[in-house]
Amino acid sequence: RFTVPAGEAGKYFFSMTTTMTDDTGSGAMMGTIRTAIYKGADGGSSSAFKQSWFDGSGARKTWLCSTLSCVVDLIALDFIEFYGYGESDLAHAQSVGGQSMTFCTGFKLL
């Protein structure tokens, strides 16, 4: 979660990549991957600001990867949260860690 500090309102760029697998040795394959960037306000709940959904159920793979980017106007105490979700044949989906597999980034533009 990133929260905008006081005095730092402005336009921000955020990006995330989520890589998921069902690499449990079970032979199961990934079917769906979803990435979402949520925006919320101080003291309130968050809602999906930008999201990506890939339904690969017709062409299941061992690994699935999704990347999502957005530019958003934020004021002090607004917050951004990053979410990734995957579905596999046997519900063993797990995110793959490491800086080159699952990560998020962001910076202030103006």
Side-chain angles (χ1 to χ4, degrees), residues 3-17:
T3 302
V4 178
E8 293 298 327
K11 191 174 293 288
Y12 285 80
F13 171 85
F14 294 99
S15 181
M16 68 179 290
T17 294

Side-chain angles (χ1 to χ4, degrees), residues 15 22 27 39-40 43 50 58 64 76 80 99 103:
S15 181
D22 189 342
K39 176 184 173 186
K50 183 82 171 181
L64 285 178
I80 295 291
Q99 293 177 342
F103 58 91

Side-chain angles (χ1 to χ4, degrees), residues 2 4 8-17 37 49-50 67-74 80 82 103-110:
F2 166 76
V4 178
E8 293 298 327
K11 191 174 293 288
Y12 285 80
F13 171 85
F14 294 99
S15 181
M16 68 179 290
T17 294
I37 297 175
F49 175 76
K50 183 82 171 181
T67 298
L68 181 63
S69 298
C70 68
V71 173
V72 58
D73 291 312
L74 298 173
I80 295 291
F82 303 88
F103 58 91
C104 58
T105 188
F107 53 87
K108 185 176 179 182
L109 295 169
L110 302 170

Side-chain angles (χ1 to χ4, degrees), residues 4 15 17 21-22 27 32 38 42 47 52-53 65 92 100 102 106-107:
V4 178
S15 181
T17 294
T21 185
D22 189 342
T32 301
Y38 278 61
D42 181 39
S47 61
S52 172
W53 187 279
C65 179
H92 296 137
S100 64
T102 298
F107 53 87

